[in-house]
Amino acid sequence: MSTEESNKGRNAQTIETIAVLGAGTMGHGIAQTATFAGYRVILRDVEREALARGVRSIERNLDKGIQLGKLTDEDRDMTLQRIRGATQLTETANADLFIEAAPEVLEIKQDILREVERSARRPFIFASNTSSLSITKIARASLHPERVVGMHFFNPVHIMRLVEIVKGQDTSTETIDAVCEVGTRMRKEPITVKDVPGFASSRLGVALGLEAMRMLEQGVASAKDIDTAMELGYNHPMGPLRLTDLVGLDVRLKIAEYLHTALDSETFRPPDILRRMVAGGKLGKKSGEGFYKWNE
């Protein structure tokens, strides 16, 4: 790859193939949304069973869309035709945009970025779906930090309209413009934020969720009534405790611990109830129980 090629930004018009790294809750949702927008998508996960679960989740989402009259059989078939699964990173070598949806651990995300740079055959943009970690720090693992950006989607990805675009210290304007255009094509509303701990959405959302947990711990009201207060009193589509169950209590705990340290704020100190539930394996919907019982 020549120096001139390496320095070129990938503009939105040249992004045709997107590699989504991680087939979990967020990863398969991002892949579904990208394929429905017309992109060719490679959904990659190191575990073959996780990849299969991700594809099955996409199929269920599409089938539900058909049942609700929002999609046609043709929409479903065309979406599935544009996506393929992979377990080897080399199978993603020709992607124009990589969207990483790995666990919220800085070292994991940096390792993925290094691996992508070693295997890629062309210039690319690397977007992290992190909800709290520093894009600038993730980009320190890159030879081209100007092409590293945050692209924070929300769960469930195929329904939620927001995508938070996070500009790292070295992220180029061309990179920001390109991923904003991709987000728009995915029928999302992009907002651009500074690279600060928790960005805009997680900082506000986690603060609300942790306070709801403290209220539950103090016996102020039941989980359902706390959620109903926000849904009916403030017109939130979902209460903070139910949302935490969907996100995963373990994920929320990691984010809270990070924000508590990074911002040096007691607002983000994880409540004891959150630590106890995670230690007991009550992680929310994915484990069958969190603040709600999902198997009933």
Side-chain angles (χ1 to χ4, degrees):
M1 186 184 300
S2 69
T3 302
E4 182 180 356
E5 285 178 318
S6 297
N7 290 333
K8 284 182 182 177
R10 305 289 293 176
N11 60 44
Q13 288 69 41
T14 62
I15 293 176
E16 298 175 350
T17 301
I18 297 176
V20 179
L21 308 179
T25 300
M26 297 304 295
H28 78 253
I30 295 168
Q32 176 184 333
T33 305
T35 53
F36 192 74
Y39 291 106
R40 291 193 298 269
V41 174
I42 306 164
L43 178 60
R44 187 255 179 172
D45 201 289
V46 293
E47 296 182 6
R48 194 171 297 279
E49 181 52 39
L51 183 61
R53 285 196 303 269
V55 173
R56 287 196 297 269
S57 294
I58 292 172
E59 291 172 342
R60 283 196 299 269
N61 289 341
L62 294 171
D63 288 341
K64 186 172 182 180
I66 293 172
Q67 293 170 9
L68 295 173
K70 295 181 178 181
L71 300 176
T72 65
D73 289 337
E74 185 179 4
D75 290 331
R76 179 188 186 278
D77 294 343
M78 288 182 65
T79 299
L80 293 174
Q81 285 170 10
R82 283 191 289 262
I83 187 170
R84 67 182 177 87
T87 55
Q88 301 299 317
L89 197 60
T90 52
E91 298 177 71
T92 69
N94 289 314
D96 305 301
L97 170 64
F98 289 80
I99 303 177
E100 163 273 311
E104 286 287 282
V105 178
L106 178 63
E107 292 76 16
I108 291 177
K109 295 179 184 294
Q110 288 180 324
D111 286 345
I112 291 172
L113 175 49
R114 292 188 189 99
E115 290 174 11
V116 168
E117 290 196 341
R118 284 195 293 267
S119 64
R121 298 196 187 115
R122 61 173 72 187
F124 62 87
I125 290 173
F126 185 89
S128 175
N129 182 55
T130 179
S131 54
S132 63
L133 298 177
S134 168
I135 297 302
T136 301
K137 289 182 179 179
I138 293 173
R140 286 176 185 165
S142 175
L143 297 172
H144 298 285
E146 73 279 4
R147 296 204 302 258
V148 180
V149 66
M151 205 172 182
H152 178 206
F153 292 87
F154 293 79
N155 185 38
V157 182
H158 64 292
I159 294 174
M160 300 296 282
R161 291 189 58 206
L162 181 65
V163 60
E164 193 172 32
I165 308 299
V166 186
K167 185 182 187 303
Q169 181 177 308
D170 299 308
T171 309
S172 69
T173 300
E174 291 79 11
T175 296
I176 294 292
D177 290 345
V179 294
C180 281
E181 182 60 31
V182 170
T184 300
R185 182 170 162 183
M186 289 183 180
R187 300 183 183 179
K188 304 299 179 189
E189 183 70 33
I191 62 169
T192 305
V193 300
K194 184 179 177 182
D195 185 21
V196 296
F199 317 134
S201 60
S202 291
R203 191 163 168 177
L204 290 169
V206 170
L208 177 62
L210 296 178
E211 187 60 26
M213 294 175 208
R214 293 186 190 100
M215 290 170 62
L216 181 64
E217 199 169 37
Q218 294 162 8
V220 174
S222 67
K224 186 176 186 303
D225 285 348
I226 291 170
D227 279 349
T228 300
M230 298 311 298
E231 291 165 4
L232 301 186
Y234 288 85
N235 206 26
H236 287 202
M238 186 182 298
L241 297 174
R242 188 175 181 84
L243 179 59
T244 297
D245 270 10
L246 290 181
V247 171
L249 275 71
D250 52 336
V251 174
R252 273 287 163 93
L253 177 58
K254 280 190 173 68
I255 296 170
E257 289 175 333
Y258 172 73
L259 293 178
H260 179 231
T261 301
L263 296 172
D264 191 24
S265 170
E266 288 301 296
T267 299
F268 298 100
R269 180 185 291 278
D272 289 341
I273 188 174
L274 178 59
R275 293 191 183 279
R276 287 197 305 271
M277 291 177 73
V278 171
K282 296 180 179 180
L283 308 181
K285 186 176 181 180
K286 61 187 173 184
S287 70
E289 183 177 357
F291 295 107
Y292 294 84
K293 292 185 178 179
W294 292 86
N295 294 328
E296 293 180 351

